[in-house]
Amino acid sequence: MVTSGSGQGTSAKRQVILLAVWFGLVAGLLEVAVLAWQHTNRPIAELSRDYVWMTPVAVTAMCLGAGLLGLAIAAVTRRLSATRCALFLVASTASLELLLLVPRVHQAAAALLALGIGYQVMRALSRHAMGFRTVARRSLVLLVALPLIFGIWVRAGRALAERRAIADLGAAHPDAANVVLITLDTARARNMSLYGYERPTTPELEGMGVAGVVFEQALSTSSWTLPAHASLFTGRWHHEISADYEVPLDDRFPTLAERLQSRGYLTAGFVANLRYCGYETGLDRGFIHYEDYKPTLGQFALSATILESIVTNFRLRSLLRNDQHPNRKVADDLNDAVIEWLRRPRDRPYFLFLNYFDTHEPYLPPEPFDRHFGPGRERGRYSPLHRWLYDPAAGHSNMGEREIKEEIDAYDGALAYLDDRIGRLMAELRRLDPDRETLIVITSDHGEEFGEHGVFEHGYSLYRPGVRVPLLISFGDRIPHGLRIGAPVSIRDVPATIMDLLGLDGVRDLGGQSLRRHWSSDGEEPLGAVTLDDSSSPIFSQVNGVTGQPDWFPVSKGDMKSVVYRGMRYIRNGDGTEELYEYREDANETRDLAGEPRYQSVLDVARTLLPREGGR
């Protein structure tokens, strides 16, 4: 197969294509095997289900590019053998792809080693050209067939499982209402005009609030995505569930989707936070249809280790002025997928779960929302906050006031874009299913911090900006209109509330209590005490400690826990230090009362309320 001539003719090009495809498929399939093995030990690995076919295809495309580059180099120099040059680059590329999978091997070291392997492979195969050509041609059909089989297996298997689940559904009540649960990932209530923010960031939600119930002091059970969503689905506190950074939600507790599916509901989830809402997290349990990763160009790039290293390289992205996630789903993408699903024929109620990701960093709303509340990003789609968080060269250096303002302007623009798209979705829902009532719940998994306590983004502390979230319920005339609840509540009560408002049993199975208690004593008449500033029962939030972050991050000290009870908010840090704030009077949590003698009895009560260590 490998000749010593110039190799510039058609025969040489065919040989290069053959060797590139062969090496690409072999390396890609080996990578699939490695990833599958790693996935057994690391369940949340941010792997698309389609990696079993996308990875071989992506690696093969890379090797083809390397082979064509070899041809081009040989054509320019006119001294190198085209097939030998192409074989060297292809073998080096395939070797590097696999070497980058080895833990704790520096990329530069892997590249040098890959070049050495490529050279030795070229020399060896040049001496055994005929034998390699025979092996390559005889095995190529199988190598091509395997990704095709894997792809069909994944796609057809999911479609078949969905058809079987629909066929097995029991009867639903003919008048049962639809349910739509929406999480605005990383939506900070403080920056919503729904809650009095000076910028008109959420006019659509304001209109929905007039026709429903708005909770002004809703709190998440955590300050980051997975445990918060797990609580939202099961009605359990953070300390009761398994979900954590590398641990998916287990099946100890039933989910809202499972309960509604058992009542004859079609259940479908559409998520944009792929890492912590994807199928690997266990949040898909109970959903007949669940859309997370899509085979986009960005997802293809992330399916090959070399390409992933390139598209996520900070220096390159800084040069290109683009910090966008390569496989990001924006609200328009999510809406299109939901509407496509809704247009399918159906004769029963549905439960829709939507997770939007547009208010998650880097905040990069489309035009005209990118300049809705300011001049826009100074450097294209470059985000100072993204660098502060992840770029080792930035080292969590303090951001200046101008940079913080840029981030807040972009964040508010992302909120406005998301609010606009939610309005469009609501209009489409009414158009597609006008005869069936729909219960709509809109909330968030957590908030966002902009340096109020020294840190940015979320998951690094338990201060109020990171756990206070929006919560809005709309259900036609079945609930009061224009009612605003001032009492602190937890999002863990959402599943029980949905089951209660639908008139279904199983509320206790899900944990939590129905939020209807805040406006109705018997399900009909509003209570007079809906503006209470205290919570009648403890409201917990928790974030577990993480490693690898600066020591001055609050969460670096260990697990953090907080409780809201009778107008006070208590925080216990991982190192045992305590903080205490008045809930109503100190919304920014700037005055720590833990050291004042007159609050020692409050601290004593708060300590007894917190869940015990390791208690689940």
Side-chain angles (χ1 to χ4, degrees):
M1 176 179 175
V2 182
T3 65
S4 59
S6 63
Q8 300 300 308
T10 302
S11 176
K13 292 179 181 179
R14 288 176 178 172
Q15 291 176 37
V16 167
I17 291 173
L18 173 64
L19 69 89
V21 171
W22 190 88
F23 270 98
L25 289 173
V26 169
L29 290 168
L30 286 174
E31 184 170 354
V32 167
V34 172
L35 292 174
W37 177 78
Q38 291 178 343
H39 209 203
T40 60
N41 300 310
R42 187 187 171 199
I44 303 178
E46 208 169 350
L47 274 180
S48 163
R49 291 184 182 92
D50 294 311
Y51 81 94
V52 292
W53 65 270
M54 290 179 70
T55 296
V57 171
V59 177
T60 300
M62 244 187 343
C63 287
L64 276 171
L68 294 176
L69 178 62
L71 285 177
I73 292 173
V76 171
T77 61
R78 297 183 179 276
R79 290 186 177 182
L80 299 174
S81 163
T83 50
R84 287 172 65 90
C85 184
L87 179 57
F88 167 69
L89 291 179
V90 168
S92 298
T93 300
S95 299
L96 179 59
E97 179 70 20
L98 296 175
L99 287 171
L100 289 175
L101 295 172
V102 180
R104 294 184 293 277
V105 174
H106 194 277
Q107 290 182 351
L112 288 174
L113 184 56
L115 291 173
I117 294 174
Y119 179 74
Q120 294 300 326
V121 168
M122 178 200 67
R123 291 186 60 193
L125 294 185
S126 296
R127 294 193 297 267
H128 304 283
M130 294 298 293
F132 177 59
R133 179 175 59 188
T134 301
V135 170
R137 286 180 174 173
R138 289 181 178 179
S139 60
L140 190 60
V141 174
L142 176 61
L143 292 175
V144 171
L146 284 175
L148 290 174
I149 293 171
F150 291 159
I152 293 172
W153 173 65
V154 169
R155 292 280 165 169
R158 292 182 65 188
L160 181 60
E162 186 172 331
R163 291 194 190 98
R164 287 176 176 172
I166 294 174
D168 292 340
L169 281 176
H173 192 282
D175 297 325
N178 296 323
V179 181
V180 178
L181 173 59
I182 296 176
T183 57
L184 316 178
D185 205 300
T186 321
R188 162 177 158 126
R190 183 181 298 185
N191 284 51
M192 292 183 166
S193 53
L194 174 68
Y195 292 103
Y197 189 53
E198 61 271 15
R199 288 175 165 177
T201 52
T202 53
E204 292 290 339
L205 294 183
E206 289 177 60
M208 294 180 64
V210 172
V213 177
V214 176
F215 291 85
E216 297 182 334
Q217 296 296 330
L219 299 175
S220 178
T221 58
S222 188
S223 57
W224 69 283
T225 299
L226 179 52
H229 276 89
S231 294
L232 189 67
F233 284 2
T234 64
R236 304 290 171 173
W237 297 116
H238 185 299
H239 65 273
E240 296 179 289
I241 54 181
S242 61
D244 207 352
Y245 294 104
E246 300 294 337
V247 183
L249 176 66
D250 60 25
D251 59 359
R252 180 181 178 188
F253 300 109
T255 66
L256 176 62
E258 287 179 311
R259 284 292 175 256
L260 290 176
Q261 182 183 345
S262 69
R263 292 348 187 250
Y265 274 74
L266 289 171
T267 55
F270 299 83
V271 301
N273 186 331
L274 303 178
R275 181 173 187 179
Y276 286 123
C277 285
Y279 75 98
E280 298 172 306
T281 64
L283 295 179
D284 65 334
R285 183 156 46 91
F287 288 100
I288 297 172
H289 181 85
Y290 202 77
E291 289 193 21
D292 42 25
Y293 296 90
K294 301 292 287 185
T296 62
L297 186 61
Q299 190 60 48
F300 265 102
L302 295 174
S303 297
T305 309
I306 294 176
L307 292 177
E308 181 184 19
S309 300
I310 294 172
V311 300
T312 58
N313 181 272
F314 274 108
R315 291 183 179 179
L316 177 61
R317 304 196 78 176
S318 179
L319 182 65
L320 297 175
R321 296 187 175 186
N322 189 352
D323 284 325
Q324 184 62 283
H325 298 294
N327 59 346
R328 185 163 194 161
K329 278 187 186 180
V330 298
D332 285 325
D333 299 329
L334 208 68
N335 283 359
D336 289 345
V338 170
I339 292 169
E340 180 183 350
W341 183 84
L342 286 172
R343 285 174 177 165
R344 298 179 184 180
R346 64 181 184 280
D347 57 356
R348 57 177 66 243
Y350 59 73
F351 167 47
L352 273 180
F353 165 63
L354 287 80
N355 161 255
Y356 290 99
F357 199 60
D358 303 272
T359 47
H360 194 287
E361 71 78 31
Y363 323 120
L364 297 171
E367 295 181 349
F369 297 95
D370 58 339
R371 290 176 171 81
H372 217 53
F373 300 110
R377 292 283 188 190
E378 289 190 7
R379 297 179 58 189
R381 299 169 76 79
Y382 177 99
S383 165
L385 173 61
H386 190 70
R387 301 288 157 159
W388 186 91
L389 288 165
Y390 302 115
D391 189 351
H396 296 291
S397 58
N398 290 331
M399 291 196 296
E401 291 184 8
R402 187 178 66 180
E403 291 175 317
I404 295 174
K405 183 180 184 303
E406 177 183 327
E407 295 297 342
I408 293 176
D409 288 347
Y411 181 84
D412 290 347
L415 262 178
Y417 163 69
L418 181 52
D419 178 78
D420 180 80
R421 272 23 183 201
I422 289 174
R424 294 187 184 188
L425 177 69
M426 294 298 110
E428 194 67 14
L429 291 179
R430 291 189 293 268
R431 188 185 69 82
L432 290 173
D433 205 348
D435 299 325
R436 193 184 292 271
E437 286 188 287
T438 301
L439 166 59
I440 298 170
V441 179
I442 299 178
T443 186
S444 178
D445 50 351
H446 53 78
E448 190 81 322
E449 294 190 64
F450 286 103
E452 291 89 352
H453 291 84
V455 294
F456 295 83
E457 208 214 17
H458 54 268
Y460 303 119
S461 82
L462 277 184
Y463 294 110
R464 188 102 66 98
V467 294
R468 184 184 167 216
V469 295
L471 180 55
L472 184 157
I473 301 176
S474 173
F475 200 13
D477 294 331
R478 297 199 192 188
I479 64 173
H481 288 194
L483 183 63
R484 302 183 77 92
I485 307 295
V489 299
S490 173
I491 64 169
R492 79 126 181 182
D493 288 334
V494 166
T497 304
I498 290 174
M499 296 293 285
D500 180 30
L501 292 177
L502 293 175
L504 299 174
D505 58 0
V507 172
R508 292 185 178 180
D509 293 342
L510 289 168
Q513 306 175 61
S514 173
L515 293 171
R516 184 164 64 166
R517 68 187 186 276
H518 287 279
W519 71 76
S520 176
S521 59
D522 57 5
E524 297 296 337
E525 297 298 327
L527 288 172
V530 294
T531 58
L532 284 174
D533 292 310
D534 290 345
S535 54
S536 58
S537 58
I539 297 175
F540 302 111
S541 299
Q542 180 176 334
V543 59
N544 288 346
V546 296
T547 58
Q549 299 296 341
D551 293 340
W552 52 271
F553 275 31
V555 78
S556 295
K557 301 173 185 177
D559 296 354
M560 297 181 67
K561 297 179 181 180
S562 72
V563 60
V564 176
Y565 189 66
R566 298 197 179 281
M568 304 298 290
R569 186 159 188 266
Y570 167 79
I571 299 175
R572 187 174 70 192
N573 297 297
D575 59 359
T577 57
E578 300 172 308
E579 300 174 52
L580 186 68
Y581 303 98
E582 286 187 341
Y583 191 86
R584 181 176 59 180
E585 302 298 330
D586 190 8
N588 294 325
E589 296 180 333
T590 58
R591 185 187 175 196
D592 183 5
L593 305 174
E596 298 190 14
R598 63 193 179 108
Y599 287 100
Q600 295 311 300
S601 61
V602 178
L603 288 174
D604 291 338
V605 173
R607 293 175 189 132
T608 65
L609 292 174
L610 283 187
R612 294 182 179 180
E613 295 294 336
R616 279 204 167 96

